[in-house]
Amino acid sequence: PITPAELLCLGSSLAFSGLFYYLYRRKARVVARIQEAPKLQVDDNLPALVSAAEGRCLPYVALEGIVLPAQAALTSHYHEGLQGVIQKLLLKEHRLIWNSLARSW
């Protein structure tokens, strides 16, 4: 004999397993698209390639090339001869939605 509590636990376990599998498969498709992204070199042909693309946007590409610092390269305090640069990030938020439960945007 199976009790209602056991059925509830089994049902919720199956529902959560299905939800997590769905999320896993969705993220796996995104990772596969990123791994199959074409590799482009940073050169003089890149602006023309972007202009010719649909919507002037390349969805997933891997850019390869030499990065030059705007002023001076950063040097590591912990590893001799290791240098780096800071990438300038631009965050564009498309829309704000008011969450009345959390009382925040």
Side-chain angles (χ1 to χ4, degrees), residues 14-32:
L14 288 174
F16 280 122
S17 295
L19 172 70
F20 292 138
Y21 183 71
Y22 167 75
L23 294 173
Y24 165 76
R25 293 298 303 160
R26 201 168 103 190
K27 296 299 179 185
R29 282 192 299 261
V30 171
V31 169

Side-chain angles (χ1 to χ4, degrees), residues 1-71:
I2 298 175
T3 64
E6 290 174 338
L7 284 176
L8 180 68
C9 290
L10 178 64
S12 63
S13 175
L14 288 174
F16 280 122
S17 295
L19 172 70
F20 292 138
Y21 183 71
Y22 167 75
L23 294 173
Y24 165 76
R25 293 298 303 160
R26 201 168 103 190
K27 296 299 179 185
R29 282 192 299 261
V30 171
V31 169
R33 284 185 61 195
I34 290 173
Q35 287 177 343
E36 295 171 357
K39 295 180 180 173
L40 302 175
Q41 295 292 325
V42 178
D43 56 6
D44 296 333
N45 298 332
L46 187 60
L49 184 65
V50 172
S51 297
E54 180 181 334
R56 296 178 49 106
C57 178
L58 300 172
Y60 288 112
V61 295
L63 294 176
E64 297 177 341
I66 297 174
V67 177
L68 299 175
Q71 295 175 355

Side-chain angles (χ1 to χ4, degrees), residues 71-93:
Q71 295 175 355
L74 302 173
T75 57
S76 174
H77 296 288
Y78 304 107
H79 299 284
E80 285 290 324
L82 188 63
Q83 294 183 338
V85 295
I86 296 177
Q87 177 182 3
K88 184 177 179 182
L89 296 176
L90 174 66
L91 176 66
K92 181 178 179 184
E93 192 165 338

